[in-house]
Amino acid sequence: METFLQQLINGLTIGGFYAVVALGYTMVYGVLKLINFAHGDMFMWGTLTGWALLTTVFASFTDMDVIAILAASVVVLAFIGVMGMTIERVAYRPLRSAGRLSPIISALGAAFALQAVARNVSDARWRTYPEGLLAELPNVQLTGRVSLSGLQVLMLVTCAAVMIGLYLFVQRTRVGTAMRAVSLDHDVSRLMGINVNRIISLVFFIGPALGGLAGLLIGIYYGSFNFTLGWVFGLKAFIAAILGGIGNIPGAVIGGFILGISETMVVAYGPDIGLADASAWKDAIAYVLLITILIARPTGILGETVAEKV
Amino acid sequence: MNEALKRLPRPAPWMGQLALLLFAIALPYMGFMDRSRTSLAVFAGVYVMLGLSLNIVVGYAGLFQLGHAAFFGLGAYTAAILSIEHNITILATIPIAALVAGGAAMLVSKPILHLRGDYLCIVTIAFGEIFRIAVTNNAFGITGGSNGLFGAGRPELPLPWLSPVPEIVLVLLLIGHLLLTQRSGPVLQWGGAGVIALAYFLLPPLAGHDQVFVISMAMGLLAVAGVAFLRERGLDWRGQVIGLLVIVILFAAFGAARGDQLAASIDGNLDKYFNVQDPVTVLGVDVTPVAFKRDARPYYFLVLGFIIVTIVGMRRLQNSRLGRAWLYVREDQLAAEAMGIDTTQVKLIAFALGSAWAGVAGVLYASRFTVVAPESFNFLQSVIMFCIVVLGGSGSIPGVLVGTLGMVVLPELLRDVGPTFLYEGAGPFVILALILGGHLLSARDRGQAAVIETGLIGAAFFVPPLLLGEPSLYVIGLLMALAMIIVLPLLRRRTSNALPWVAGALAAYALVMIVIGSQFGQDLEREISAFRIMDWRDGLMGVAMVVMMVLRPAGIIPERRKGIVMSAVAEPSGAGPAVAVQQAT
Amino acid sequence: MALLELHNINTYYGNIRTLKDISLKVEAGQVVTLIGANGAGKTTTLRTVSGLLRPRSGEILFDGHPIHRIPAHEIVYLGLTQAPEGRGIFPTLTVQENLNMGAYSLGGDRGAIEANRERVYELFPRLAERKRQLGGTLSGGEQQMLSIGRALMARPKLLMLDEPSLGLAPLLVRAIFETVQAINEQGVTVLLVEQNARAALRLADYGYVLETGAISLEGPAQELLHNERVRHAYLGEV
């Protein structure tokens, strides 16, 4: 029971990251009906930028690592957000009326380009974050042997704050409502006086910025990364978004947690149920989960049936 | 001038195709085709087959498939396992591999085909990734884990002039001839068959060598195809008979005159490219096999043969009942359903057929490269196949060829190119000429001003490197020229006379370059020579993908078949299908 | 000067010319109707005016400003709104949110939005009852009310309605047309596109008849009502 609880906490933490990255996918899909394959790589760029900042510019702050991390977060948010807007402007906007195949290729192309630059910036090596970041955060002891590290608490709190904040923004504010309107109908939104391009740019700022923040946090959490991080993690986050029902913010959150928890649980309990090398198959869990859920519910857990736009 | 061009007789499409075919046959004998390039050609050929097979799924039926590499891999693994574990001649595994790949596709796609486009896309990615993870983890203990399988067999063929091969080939040829000439009268049908059979068997003894049966076979094939071609061009049976006789007589004369040389060269090639194995008899018949050697040329022709068969098959498929059904499903699934097309069934066939053919390509791949490892079938490969189809022009067969050139051949050729070409020799001048030529062409309606601008850019390009003797500055010059022609149209929108601005900017550029150029040029040269283009290959590919799509969203050679009538009728009425629905109510 | 003027507008879908030299005027304070059969180009005309489509040639003046090069969302700020064809309700937004989107061009001016909403609720009390309901769950008539109400939220000078009677029961149609009249009496100019020619002409001051993309007939609505051709082709009288 106690190991179960411990695994649940680990799963929740990873799931939180999946959820935050999934939000970016789901928002973009909402307004453009486009799988933004470059999103995973922008997430990785968040990790990379964070690493670059914390090992150079902010390296002298390491005894005040909270400040260094806060400063790095701000830079990462801005930088990755602008990166997202630029990619939308260059690679997606010219293709908005070009059918459904071309934007997929363009998105994949953008992903390749981002990955190649990251590969050369990081010399294609594994890079490590400074050691002992936030080590002084106190652990939280739940029961005898179950505990959350301070880092985990921070990650969970940040992810939760991001998700709740975004939800409130989209549900309660004028611009958030406009986002939902744009995701329903571009033309009618324009008739309301909504600048659709600006809303889409905003979505392409917020989504990648949050993804980049998640990237920075995951860099701190895991300590090391390389340039391929974005692809696998991004794909899984996208799967999380689909599991929950794409275009749906609570859905992305649910999907993220389901995926994070299932992965952790299968790896932890796989050997007990006859899967000896469960960890080697860990990456397949997301895909199997995706296929099973989509066969049962073709539009995801919270998704509604929408007629396909041709 | 354009009018005059239009009046020139345009070559018929078959002439272009024939030229392409002849080029493909001549390609491996060309001077620049060394061993590694021939090998690249074989590799590209496999990808052409993959592109053509994926074209069924994506181009014809309009389904998203980003996991095609899995079915390619299934074919390759099937061939490798059968050939290594069970000693089956690798080409004989083709039907099994096709069945395995096609069957697997049918099995997995059945429950997911009803999914909407993007969901289907992600599910196919999932299948591809599951396949990769499974073979990497040595599923069922037969895939060799992450190292893959080594030593898949090389293709074996029976020696073509040992009985019973010539007889079997002749029977096939005659059947083809008799079927094709059914409506051409008995003279051509039976007389032609007799002539072909006679010449077929007389040629080798006439020339004095059994090897000449190879020529007989070529003659037979050409005769059957030639007659069919003449008929298609509208000649009556007399013309066709004459055509047939011409072909036969030409070959007979050629075989008689050059028999010894032919036999010698066939033997020579046999030694060079094939490994003649010990005599084998099956039921008392000698079927001595020859196995391919490492040299890529025979593989090239093997793959070329498969590609030709595939293209012919694809064309027939496109225009078949099934092909039209795919078109309807792709353009408007609801309408297709309303017309009584079983859309699920039709999509399933597309998936199965495309995947089976990818399995065949997998066998060819395994037989050539003999190593079958997971990384050859990962997501990147699926993306490359997808790009081959979409970049070339979804649904278009020439598009697949162009797409393969861009996605497979070009990146490999980049390997040999050092970036120093940017400032050495004629490189910079060619690029500059292209940039400025493009600018002149796009600004030709502004006459003199455009010429002056071009001249100024050219001057600014040449002055600093020539003055300082630093050729590497040409690289900066190229960037400058590129920037100028992008900025110029924007500038022109703001001011009526852009020339002073252009001249000022260029003068400033030249001045700055002359001042800082000598030190900067040396640094730049060091940087450029240290630049390894392979590090950036994927990135360049990615940028090229974005640029290509933005410039030509429908692909380089878009498919010409247009989707039925719907778009032409529904659009003008205002808001597409909604109107039609309202009209009905 | 008229509130809205179209001069020789030509609009294309691809290479197909759907509007052929359309010229029309809407005087301030009037109700002007555009009638015609299905596919005659009525909706295309409205989409061209509101900026969703670009004319290939010609000029559109609204309140004296040329608007044919202005993006659709900016035209709204000039005081021209539209209840689009098929109502264009945002199905997963609540009634109130739909209305708020109509007032998007007012920015964050909560007071004005609140006041406009009250006016719309006064005009359509049914919407007030259902303000927390999702737009997609409303009945057809309620959706039409919402669509018109939403277009009024920006306090337009000119309101364009695209077939407000479409798919509604006769009783509801009458109610909708009465409301349109009430709106007009409050000082809003209305450009009404309709297939229901009789009702539209009874309400309107001036009318245009659109046939295969060109204006074939125009005149004061009363005259059109008694015009032989109109009666024959659009009013179903022999």
Side-chain angles (χ1 to χ4, degrees):
Chain A
M1 187 60 206
E2 283 180 335
T3 40
F4 177 79
L5 262 179
Q6 188 67 58
Q7 295 299 346
L8 191 67
I9 289 163
N10 295 342
L12 274 173
T13 316
I14 295 299
F17 289 120
Y18 284 140
V20 172
V21 180
L23 289 176
Y25 279 107
T26 222
M27 286 169 71
V28 166
Y29 192 89
V31 294
L32 280 189
K33 307 288 172 279
L34 164 86
I35 305 176
N36 181 13
F37 280 108
H39 189 68
D41 288 300
M42 287 194 269
F43 156 80
M44 174 271 293
W45 265 89
T47 322
L48 180 69
T49 316
W51 163 78
L53 289 170
L54 289 173
T55 52
T56 56
V57 187
F58 300 136
S60 50
F61 293 161
T62 35
D63 43 341
M64 301 182 289
D65 48 9
V66 177
I67 296 171
I69 287 171
L70 275 178
S73 305
V74 172
V75 179
V76 164
L77 279 170
F79 178 61
I80 306 297
V82 171
M83 181 186 270
M85 282 166 72
T86 315
I87 284 178
E88 189 270 331
R89 188 73 194 76
V90 173
Y92 302 153
R93 193 172 297 178
L95 291 170
R96 207 161 298 155
S97 56
R100 301 175 64 80
L101 284 170
S102 324
I104 290 189
I105 299 279
S106 195
L108 287 166
F112 283 1
L114 283 180
Q115 213 181 89
V117 177
R119 171 204 173 103
N120 286 291
V121 169
S122 67
D123 284 336
R125 280 187 294 172
W126 281 88
R127 294 296 186 170
T128 46
Y129 268 61
E131 267 178 49
L133 281 177
L134 301 174
E136 71 274 24
L137 283 178
N139 285 4
V140 178
Q141 206 69 27
L142 288 182
T143 63
R145 278 180 298 161
V146 185
S147 70
L148 282 87
S149 72
L151 209 52
Q152 278 178 324
V153 176
L154 182 77
M155 300 293 150
L156 276 170
V157 168
T158 316
C159 288
V162 163
M163 290 180 274
I164 294 169
L166 189 67
Y167 184 77
L168 289 178
F169 172 72
V170 169
Q171 289 296 327
R172 296 288 162 80
T173 66
R174 166 174 166 267
V175 175
T177 316
M179 271 181 195
R180 284 187 285 146
V182 168
S183 72
L184 290 168
D185 193 327
H186 284 200
D187 274 355
V188 176
S189 300
R190 292 167 73 195
L191 291 179
M192 301 296 111
I194 299 170
N195 185 341
V196 170
N197 280 338
R198 191 174 296 164
I199 294 287
I200 290 173
S201 281
L202 182 65
V203 167
F204 269 91
F205 181 89
I206 297 177
L210 296 183
L213 180 67
L216 171 71
L217 294 179
I218 222 154
I220 297 169
Y221 188 66
Y222 282 142
S224 68
F225 71 100
N226 79 352
F227 68 97
T228 59
L229 168 75
W231 175 248
V232 178
F233 198 94
L235 203 57
K236 286 195 206 160
F238 182 66
I239 287 174
I242 285 198
L243 290 182
I246 193 145
N248 184 315
I249 288 176
V253 173
I254 292 176
F257 284 126
I258 289 181
L259 186 54
I261 292 168
S262 335
E263 270 190 9
T264 325
M265 290 301 166
V266 171
V267 173
Y269 292 100
D272 301 344
I273 55 168
L275 270 169
D277 47 356
S279 55
W281 289 82
K282 180 177 147 228
D283 286 343
I285 296 163
Y287 306 118
V288 174
L289 206 60
L290 170 82
I291 293 165
T292 16
I293 290 205
L294 280 191
I295 288 174
R297 275 191 69 91
T299 51
I301 298 169
L302 294 186
E304 50 232 290
T305 6
V306 195
E308 182 167 6
K309 271 196 201 161
V310 187
Chain B
M1 191 201 86
N2 277 339
E3 281 307 302
L5 269 180
K6 267 183 207 158
R7 250 179 277 132
L8 281 176
R10 305 200 62 190
W14 64 265
M15 284 171 83
Q17 288 162 15
L18 188 68
L20 194 65
L21 178 66
L22 290 178
F23 173 77
I25 291 172
L27 183 67
Y29 300 102
M30 290 181 187
F32 58 87
M33 292 299 285
D34 55 21
R35 187 178 276 229
S36 75
R37 291 208 176 122
T38 316
S39 198
L40 171 60
V42 175
F43 188 68
V46 171
Y47 267 81
V48 168
M49 283 194 61
L50 289 168
L52 288 169
S53 64
L54 184 61
N55 203 19
I56 300 179
V57 185
V58 177
Y60 297 170
L63 302 166
F64 289 4
Q65 160 66 299
L66 269 169
H68 206 52
F71 301 105
F72 175 44
L74 265 177
Y77 269 100
T78 309
I81 290 165
L82 288 177
S83 131
I84 296 168
E85 305 275 322
H86 305 282
N87 261 329
I88 296 176
T89 296
I90 199 146
L91 290 184
T93 65
I94 283 180
I96 307 168
L99 270 179
V100 170
M106 228 165 191
L107 236 108
V108 300
S109 61
K110 187 130 199 171
I112 60 166
L113 272 178
H114 63 282
L115 291 175
R116 292 167 48 201
D118 295 314
Y119 287 86
L120 190 63
C121 173
I122 201 79
V123 171
T124 55
I125 294 179
F127 276 123
E129 288 293 281
I130 290 175
F131 173 79
R132 182 186 60 80
I133 294 168
V135 292
T136 311
N137 286 324
N138 203 1
F140 314 115
I142 53 172
T143 64
S146 55
N147 294 326
L149 296 167
F150 292 85
R154 298 182 172 281
E156 291 176 351
L157 297 169
L159 268 177
W161 51 82
L162 289 185
S163 182
V165 181
E167 286 83 355
I168 295 173
V169 172
L170 179 65
V171 168
L172 290 177
L173 282 173
L174 287 182
I175 291 175
H177 174 78
L178 292 174
L179 282 176
L180 282 169
T181 55
Q182 264 171 334
R183 295 203 190 88
S184 305
V187 179
L188 181 61
Q189 195 178 11
W190 297 104
V195 170
I196 292 175
L198 205 65
Y200 189 92
F201 277 116
L202 279 183
L203 208 51
L206 210 62
H209 297 279
D210 277 353
Q211 286 89 326
V212 176
F213 264 123
V214 178
I215 301 299
S216 286
M217 289 169 194
M219 177 205 67
L221 196 65
L222 210 63
V224 172
V227 167
F229 176 75
L230 289 177
R231 184 172 45 254
E232 210 166 283
R233 307 229 59 83
L235 264 72
D236 64 357
W237 67 270
R238 287 187 194 84
Q240 294 172 31
V241 169
I242 291 169
L244 177 77
L245 288 176
V246 167
I247 291 170
V248 170
I249 291 168
L250 275 181
F251 267 90
F254 179 67
R258 291 295 184 86
D260 294 339
Q261 267 168 293
L262 271 172
S265 92
I266 289 173
D267 277 340
N269 277 323
L270 199 64
D271 281 344
K272 192 166 170 201
Y273 297 117
F274 298 93
N275 200 358
V276 183
Q277 295 178 346
D278 299 332
V280 175
T281 51
V282 177
L283 304 173
V285 182
D286 182 8
V287 283
T288 305
V290 284
F292 285 32
K293 279 189 186 169
R294 275 193 70 82
D295 201 296
R297 220 175 270 180
Y299 289 98
Y300 177 85
F301 286 106
L302 182 71
V303 173
L304 182 63
F306 268 94
I307 290 174
I308 292 169
V309 171
T310 314
I311 289 180
V312 172
M314 292 293 155
R315 282 235 196 114
R316 298 203 64 110
L317 205 57
Q318 241 180 358
N319 299 320
S320 68
R321 205 179 131 82
L322 187 60
R324 288 196 306 274
W326 282 331
L327 188 64
Y328 288 129
V329 171
R330 184 186 76 186
E331 295 296 325
D332 188 333
Q333 185 166 338
L334 278 179
E337 256 162 39
M339 285 159 71
I341 295 172
D342 182 348
T343 53
T344 313
Q345 179 82 6
V346 164
K347 287 178 181 174
L348 196 65
I349 294 173
F351 245 110
L353 215 55
S355 305
W357 213 244
V360 175
V363 179
L364 295 179
Y365 176 88
S367 75
R368 169 68 188 112
F369 298 93
T370 65
V371 180
V372 175
E375 73 262 27
S376 308
F377 313 107
N378 60 17
F379 179 73
L380 180 67
Q381 307 306 316
S382 290
V383 170
I384 288 176
M385 294 170 207
F386 195 74
C387 286
I388 287 175
V389 173
V390 180
L391 281 181
S394 175
S396 127
I397 293 172
V400 169
L401 303 180
V402 176
T404 313
L405 281 182
M407 292 302 298
V408 179
V409 179
L410 201 65
E412 279 303 312
L413 291 181
L414 271 184
R415 205 186 278 275
D416 305 338
V417 179
T420 47
F421 81 96
L422 282 170
Y423 58 85
E424 276 177 2
F429 307 108
V430 173
I431 304 175
L432 180 75
L434 287 176
I435 295 177
L436 293 186
H439 174 61
L440 266 180
L441 213 62
S442 67
R444 60 173 174 258
D445 48 322
R446 296 183 310 113
Q448 219 178 350
V451 178
I452 298 175
E453 281 166 16
T454 311
L456 284 174
I457 297 175
F461 172 76
F462 284 110
V463 168
L466 288 181
L467 212 62
L468 298 169
E470 278 295 343
S472 60
L473 289 182
Y474 282 133
V475 178
I476 304 296
L478 285 175
L479 290 179
M480 177 275 298
L482 205 60
M484 285 307 288
I485 69 154
I486 292 171
V487 170
L488 269 175
L490 302 175
L491 194 64
R492 226 174 293 123
R493 242 182 265 160
R494 313 230 159 185
T495 76
S496 52
N497 189 4
L499 227 48
W501 293 95
V502 176
L506 289 174
Y509 160 78
L511 215 66
V512 169
M513 277 299 120
I514 290 169
V515 174
I516 64 163
S518 54
Q519 179 54 43
F520 186 62
Q522 284 165 12
D523 293 348
L524 192 67
E525 191 165 345
R526 209 174 323 114
E527 283 292 314
I528 292 177
S529 50
F531 182 84
R532 281 180 37 233
I533 202 156
M534 288 312 286
D535 291 345
W536 291 90
R537 191 183 64 171
D538 291 355
L540 289 174
M541 202 159 84
V543 172
M545 280 156 66
V546 174
V547 172
M548 281 307 307
M549 280 291 102
V550 169
L551 293 181
R552 295 199 65 114
I556 300 169
I557 307 181
E559 192 196 9
R560 283 211 209 92
R561 285 188 318 161
K562 271 285 163 257
I564 339 163
V565 280
M566 329 181 347
S567 52
V569 173
E571 252 182 328
S573 71
V579 172
V581 174
Q582 285 156 11
Q583 214 165 9
T585 47
Chain C
M1 189 181 50
L3 185 58
L4 176 75
E5 294 181 31
L6 274 66
H7 296 298
N8 302 320
I9 289 295
N10 285 289
T11 302
Y12 287 72
Y13 277 106
N15 281 324
I16 302 160
R17 187 172 164 213
T18 37
L19 293 188
K20 301 163 191 161
D21 278 325
I22 298 270
S23 297
L24 57 84
K25 277 185 187 174
V26 179
E27 299 289 343
Q30 288 192 334
V31 175
V32 173
T33 183
L34 194 59
I35 58 177
N38 220 322
K42 304 186 300 284
T43 297
T44 309
T45 310
L46 286 200
R47 286 170 71 86
T48 308
V49 172
S50 57
L52 293 178
L53 291 172
R54 288 256 165 271
R56 202 173 282 186
S57 66
E59 213 184 12
I60 304 174
L61 298 176
F62 178 68
D63 220 3
H65 303 282
I67 57 167
H68 49 280
R69 302 239 176 277
I70 299 182
H73 61 265
E74 284 177 23
I75 290 177
V76 178
Y77 286 77
L78 299 173
L80 198 170
T81 63
Q82 183 184 351
E85 183 191 40
R87 299 163 197 142
I89 298 302
F90 299 116
T92 55
L93 265 56
T94 64
V95 168
Q96 186 158 337
E97 283 171 335
N98 264 289
L99 290 177
N100 288 348
M101 284 297 99
Y104 191 82
S105 57
L106 300 185
D109 186 350
R110 278 166 195 248
I113 296 174
E114 187 75 23
N116 288 353
R117 223 166 36 216
E118 285 316 311
R119 278 187 39 207
V120 170
Y121 285 149
E122 226 166 86
L123 211 53
F124 302 110
R126 286 284 280 281
L127 295 182
E129 291 164 25
R130 303 192 185 278
K131 63 183 173 191
R132 306 237 170 269
Q133 214 169 310
L134 292 187
T137 62
L138 298 184
S139 73
E142 289 163 348
Q143 284 193 2
Q144 190 58 59
M145 293 174 199
L146 179 55
S147 180
I148 297 173
R150 192 178 59 178
L152 286 173
M153 285 294 289
R155 288 285 192 139
K157 293 179 195 150
L158 174 63
L159 171 68
M160 302 197 292
L161 302 173
D162 197 344
E163 306 221 13
S165 72
L166 192 79
L168 299 186
L171 216 65
L172 270 171
V173 173
R174 188 177 303 165
I176 292 278
F177 275 78
E178 275 164 13
T179 321
V180 171
Q181 187 150 23
I183 292 167
N184 179 243
E185 279 158 11
Q186 289 175 14
V188 180
T189 313
V190 176
L191 175 57
L192 172 68
V193 157
E194 258 303 336
Q195 267 197 82
N196 186 344
R198 189 188 308 271
L201 287 173
R202 275 190 187 145
L203 172 71
D205 299 297
Y206 200 84
Y208 291 87
V209 179
L210 206 55
E211 261 171 39
T212 58
I215 287 179
S216 63
L217 207 61
E218 62 174 288
Q222 284 306 312
E223 277 177 30
L224 286 184
L225 260 178
H226 297 104
N227 179 294
E228 198 59 37
R229 263 183 64 204
V230 174
R231 289 173 59 156
H232 192 76
Y234 298 105
L235 303 179
E237 293 173 15
V238 197

